[in-house]
Amino acid sequence: MSDKFDVIVIGAGPAGYVAAIRAAQLGLKTACVDAFTGKDGKQALGGTCLNVGCIPSKALLDSSRQYWNIAHNLPVHGISVKDAKVDMATFIGRKDKIVKQFTGGIGQLFKANKVTPYFGTGKLLKGNQVEITAADGSKQTISATNVILASGSIPIELPFAKFDGKNIVDNAGALDFTEVPKRLGVIGAGVIGLELGSVWRRMGSEVTIIEALPDFLSVADADIAKLAAKEFAKQGLDIKLDAKLNKAEVKKDGVHLTYTDKSGEQQLVVDKLLVAVGRRAYSTGLLADDTGVKLDERGRIVVDEHCHTGVDGVWAIGDAVRGPMLAHKGSEEGVAVAEWIAGKAGHVNYDTVPFVIYTEPEVAWAGKTEKELKDAGVPYKVGTFPFAAIGRAVAMNEAVGQVKMIAHAETDRILGVHMVGPGVSELIAECVVAMEFKGSSEDLARIVHAHPTLSEAVHEAALSVDKRAIHKGN
């Protein structure tokens, strides 16, 4: 087999494996290099997202939701279950089975599309060569006309709360607890902290989340964040804002935390500590010194608007470059770069990338927040609609949250849509489509939505923009 390719992709996460498949579909001889190892010690394609991120966390979120519903949702339906128990081996095993199913699925997709996988750590050398170091230390070098860097990201570790894989863990460790911790501490009230905190709270853990920022979910719209915080508090998530962790010490009776809030220094003892303060680009050892590829002050690969590094034939995508660290953003960059390489018109609209937090209720948004528009001096108008007035949501006993739509005051073009409530991870797609086609709130207001459905909340929010919602006061 020749070691010369049209495209070599370093990294088989959502950005890398999608780029490799699309490149192969376009007739380019493609290889993909990845070193992720599954629990069985074999290559596990799919990167962080599939192995220890997006997919396994959703599996545990769903399992924990079933358990939570037995005590908190079923009784209102007249259904009672006594002495419900959880078998942790099955609980975690189901998650592992789903992960293995999908990692194997990517392997089959590689085979079907004739993508050549390499198992090892990839390093870009000068002249678009890639050095692959296997687990046993052996090396080989392959080359290509184009190299796509998709090395992903890794959790940020705090110097005073280092990961030990047992007591102080990252997202991967929090997916593999062998028993429900009686007391779980979480550092960071972002997506990972909220989702995994929710999993273990539903299973019975006392969860305390320590967040350094003074505002909850400051990246989201303030109205949506406020509603979400209220619901999380009802569920028993103790979220401490404007609180900074100073020290974490592992002792016989647990992890002893020292943090500072508005009232001064505080102490907290937990059985397990999840540190989820964010992620950083994984670029260590990725580049030889003479490649010409540049990194910014945060270790991200510097690229232009087309994900090109400025070095002929070298591209970079996903978490390793600027922009939100989202699987779907990386995937679309992978498709676009493969198409640019093949001489086609690739496209990624960063203004309409949807964000989702898979808590209960879910949180989702796309576009600008009200604060961003206000700060930019953009004239806007707002429409909202609560799920409490949606028949389907009430029938599901999940009538919490609202849809908020923001449109330009003069053109009516949709500038942002923000939601908290049941199924909003799916509802946001309709709004993204409308925004991608430069749609107006009037467009969504004129579209017939099935009744009874959750999507009626989007319809009514669009009507509300011009104060003509039917099922609430204007």
Side-chain angles (χ1 to χ4, degrees):
M1 182 184 295
S2 172
D3 59 0
K4 174 69 175 180
F5 294 87
D6 296 315
V7 176
I8 298 172
V9 183
I10 299 180
Y17 87 74
V18 169
I21 290 172
R22 184 64 184 128
Q25 287 176 344
L26 291 166
L28 301 170
K29 184 180 178 183
T30 305
C32 186
V33 183
D34 193 82
F36 207 105
T37 303
K39 285 188 173 182
D40 59 4
K42 298 179 181 179
Q43 184 177 32
L45 302 170
T48 293
C49 177
L50 181 45
N51 285 279
V52 293
C54 319
I55 302 304
S57 65
K58 301 313 164 285
L60 292 190
L61 278 162
D62 190 72
S63 293
S64 64
R65 181 187 181 188
Q66 306 301 329
Y67 183 69
W68 175 268
N69 283 346
I70 289 173
H72 299 86
N73 196 20
L74 293 186
V76 77
H77 294 279
I79 303 170
S80 61
V81 178
K82 293 184 179 180
D83 302 323
K85 297 179 181 178
V86 175
D87 180 88
M88 287 301 294
T90 303
F91 183 78
I92 298 297
R94 174 181 177 270
K95 175 262 298 181
D96 292 340
K97 184 178 179 181
I98 291 170
V99 168
K100 193 168 182 62
Q101 173 186 338
F102 280 94
T103 56
I106 295 175
Q108 291 300 312
L109 289 170
F110 274 11
K111 186 176 181 179
N113 288 282
K114 296 181 173 57
V115 174
T116 303
Y118 285 87
F119 191 8
T121 302
K123 181 177 184 178
L124 178 67
L125 307 179
K126 187 177 180 180
N128 295 1
Q129 297 186 86
V130 174
E131 180 184 77
I132 304 169
T133 304
D136 62 4
S138 61
K139 299 179 186 293
Q140 64 175 309
T141 301
I142 59 178
S143 63
T145 306
N146 291 276
V147 177
I148 303 174
L149 306 173
S151 53
S153 62
I154 57 175
I156 294 173
E157 187 175 46
L158 297 175
F160 44 83
K162 289 186 173 295
F163 303 129
D164 62 17
K166 180 181 178 182
N167 303 291
I168 303 176
V169 300
D170 58 9
N171 58 288
L175 291 167
D176 271 336
F177 290 149
T178 55
E179 60 182 27
V180 179
K182 183 178 179 182
R183 303 161 300 179
L184 174 64
V186 179
I187 309 302
V191 176
I192 294 172
L194 289 172
E195 289 186 357
L196 293 179
S198 293
V199 166
W200 297 110
R201 173 67 197 113
R202 293 175 194 168
M203 300 304 293
S205 185
E206 297 173 9
V207 179
T208 303
I209 301 178
I210 297 173
E211 170 56 54
L213 295 175
D215 298 317
F216 178 68
L217 276 184
S218 57
V219 294
D221 186 86
D223 291 337
I224 297 303
K226 184 178 179 180
L227 275 171
K230 183 179 178 181
E231 291 305 314
F232 297 153
K234 287 181 181 179
Q235 295 168 16
L237 287 177
D238 184 5
I239 303 174
K240 300 183 182 298
L241 299 174
D242 206 5
K244 183 179 179 181
L245 181 70
N246 302 317
K247 185 165 55 174
E249 296 177 291
V250 178
K251 298 183 180 181
K252 288 184 178 181
D253 62 339
V255 185
H256 289 242
L257 308 180
T258 302
Y259 67 93
T260 305
D261 61 12
K262 293 179 180 179
S263 301
E265 190 171 270
Q266 308 293 336
Q267 305 291 327
L268 177 68
V269 180
V270 296
D271 298 295
K272 301 285 185 181
L273 179 66
L274 164 60
V275 178
V277 294
R279 299 179 65 84
R280 62 180 177 84
Y282 181 45
S283 53
T284 304
L286 177 65
L287 307 168
D289 293 336
D290 58 354
T291 63
V293 177
K294 297 179 180 179
L295 302 178
D296 67 13
E297 67 283 355
R298 294 168 61 181
R300 299 176 301 185
I301 302 165
V302 177
V303 293
D304 63 16
E305 67 274 17
H306 293 103
C307 295
H308 195 261
T309 64
V311 175
D312 189 33
V314 181
W315 314 72
I317 57 177
D319 285 5
V321 303
R322 78 286 179 266
M325 290 184 174
L326 297 170
H328 43 284
K329 171 261 193 185
S331 293
E332 293 308 314
E333 286 179 332
V335 170
V337 166
E339 292 178 347
W340 284 321
I341 289 172
K344 296 183 177 295
H347 168 76
V348 181
N349 184 356
Y350 294 99
D351 291 333
T352 58
V353 174
F355 292 72
V356 180
I357 304 174
Y358 297 87
T359 44
E360 191 73 26
E362 293 180 339
V363 183
W365 69 92
K368 301 295 185 181
T369 66
E370 188 171 353
K371 183 179 185 303
E372 287 173 332
L373 294 171
K374 188 176 295 183
D375 291 346
V378 177
Y380 64 89
K381 49 187 177 178
V382 176
T384 63
F385 199 81
F387 281 100
I390 295 296
R392 181 70 188 277
V394 174
M396 294 166 57
N397 195 39
E398 296 183 41
V400 168
Q402 72 170 11
V403 174
K404 177 177 180 178
M405 188 173 295
I406 310 174
H408 196 285
E410 297 165 0
T411 67
D412 194 39
R413 181 176 174 179
I414 301 170
L415 302 176
V417 185
H418 310 269
M419 311 174 177
V420 56
V424 298
S425 59
E426 304 292 342
L427 297 182
I428 195 65
E430 172 184 9
C431 303
V432 171
V433 170
M435 293 170 67
E436 184 69 26
F437 285 93
K438 297 179 173 57
S440 65
S441 70
E442 179 74 9
D443 290 326
L444 286 181
R446 294 288 181 184
I447 292 174
V448 178
H449 289 67
H451 172 77
T453 62
L454 298 175
S455 69
E456 290 178 283
V458 175
H459 186 218
E460 290 273 6
L463 288 165
S464 175
V465 169
D466 286 318
K467 301 189 185 307
R468 63 184 206 271
I470 301 299
H471 294 94
K472 76 159 194 171
N474 291 295

